[in-house]
Amino acid sequence: MDYQVSIVGGGITGALLALYLGKAGIKVCLIDKNKPSESISNPAVGRTASLNLSSIETLKEAGVWNIIQQNSKTFDEIFVWDSEGSSSVQFKATEISRNNLGAIVHNNIILEALFKEVKKISDVHLIEEESVENLTDDRDGAVIITESGLKITSEIIVGADGSLSRIRDLSKMSIRTWSYHQLAIVNYMIMEPRLENSIFIKNLQFQILTYA
């Protein structure tokens, strides 16, 4: 048995799970077809995540929120209304006796913080630029075969490789999907006067989320 757990997919989910398991003394192999641990010159680009309080608490428990927090923007109000303007709802942090409802942060910043900690843990073995070719099992456990011919055996395999999961396909897990026929546009706007730390969501045929 090479590892107790093999995780395929080094995105936020896979890296966070590897960090949690590694800190618990579990021998982990984290595999990704790209090189997610590589630092980029400007991590504050690309996709962003809206983290709720539960997600922030999870990152605190993992020991990375103090790194992420300095590059995040908190919000304390959320406004939602429909396209006809007939109804709306507002959420305030003060209503639950909290200072904020969450934070906006770039995914790259979260990943950079996670891999900074993952690399410190000897029980986590990181294999990058390797794609999964096949998945099988033998008497020693579940076996991953990579495109370069690596054979990785573990008790448990976790597929954290996204919506087009190779692990799911190789495991022959059936799924059911459908389209909501919706699009989303996310804007960052500087308003005059300033609207403080608020999120505005208007439900149209497509959804517009504006963060001010």
Side-chain angles (χ1 to χ4, degrees):
M1 186 66 63
D2 298 326
Y3 303 96
Q4 291 171 272
V5 179
S6 289
I7 303 169
V8 178
I12 292 174
T13 301
L16 182 58
L17 179 59
L19 180 57
Y20 261 99
L21 295 177
K23 284 190 171 185
I26 295 172
K27 195 175 181 182
V28 178
C29 180
L30 179 58
I31 310 163
D32 196 275
K33 63 182 180 181
N34 298 309
K35 201 168 183 180
S37 70
E38 188 174 46
S39 297
I40 60 177
S41 58
N42 180 17
V45 295
R47 295 179 62 183
T48 61
S50 177
L51 303 175
N52 61 27
L53 297 177
S54 179
S55 297
I56 290 172
E57 193 60 36
T58 298
L59 293 170
K60 285 180 179 178
E61 291 174 359
V64 295
W65 179 243
N66 60 322
I67 304 171
I68 298 168
Q69 185 177 19
Q70 55 192 316
N71 292 302
S72 68
K73 176 65 175 176
T74 59
F75 56 89
D76 52 33
E77 289 185 291
I78 300 175
F79 300 86
V80 184
W81 69 101
D82 65 25
S83 60
E84 304 300 325
S86 60
S87 61
S88 63
V89 63
Q90 180 179 358
F91 304 93
K92 293 185 177 182
T94 53
E95 295 174 343
I96 58 172
S97 302
R98 300 296 293 264
N99 293 326
N100 59 71
L101 294 173
I104 304 291
V105 62
H106 285 275
N107 286 11
N108 287 330
I109 289 172
I110 300 174
L111 271 177
E112 192 171 70
L114 288 171
F115 277 103
K116 182 178 180 180
E117 295 303 306
V118 164
K119 289 177 178 179
K120 297 177 183 177
I121 302 175
S122 60
D123 281 324
V124 178
H125 182 204
L126 181 60
I127 299 177
E128 296 180 297
E129 299 179 305
E130 278 284 0
S131 295
V132 175
E133 177 68 23
N134 200 7
L135 181 64
T136 184
D137 60 85
D138 59 24
R139 63 182 181 182
D140 294 323
V143 181
I144 291 172
I145 308 295
T146 71
E147 285 188 346
S148 69
L150 288 178
K151 182 179 178 181
I152 303 163
T153 306
S154 57
E155 297 176 29
I156 298 171
I157 294 175
V158 177
D161 48 343
S163 60
L164 302 176
S165 172
R166 177 68 171 158
I167 294 300
R168 184 187 63 216
D169 291 344
L170 291 171
S171 301
K172 295 181 172 54
M173 296 181 184
S174 60
I175 60 171
R176 184 165 63 98
T177 64
W178 61 91
S179 174
Y180 287 100
H181 303 292
Q182 290 179 329
L183 300 173
I185 300 175
V186 181
N187 299 302
Y188 177 81
M189 301 177 68
I190 299 176
M191 310 292 289
E192 292 185 7
R194 291 284 296 176
L195 298 178
E196 302 304 331
N197 303 318
S198 303
I199 280 182
F200 298 85
I201 302 174
K202 185 168 185 177
N203 295 309
L204 305 166
Q205 290 180 339
F206 56 89
Q207 178 171 291
I208 298 178
L209 184 153
T210 301
Y211 178 67

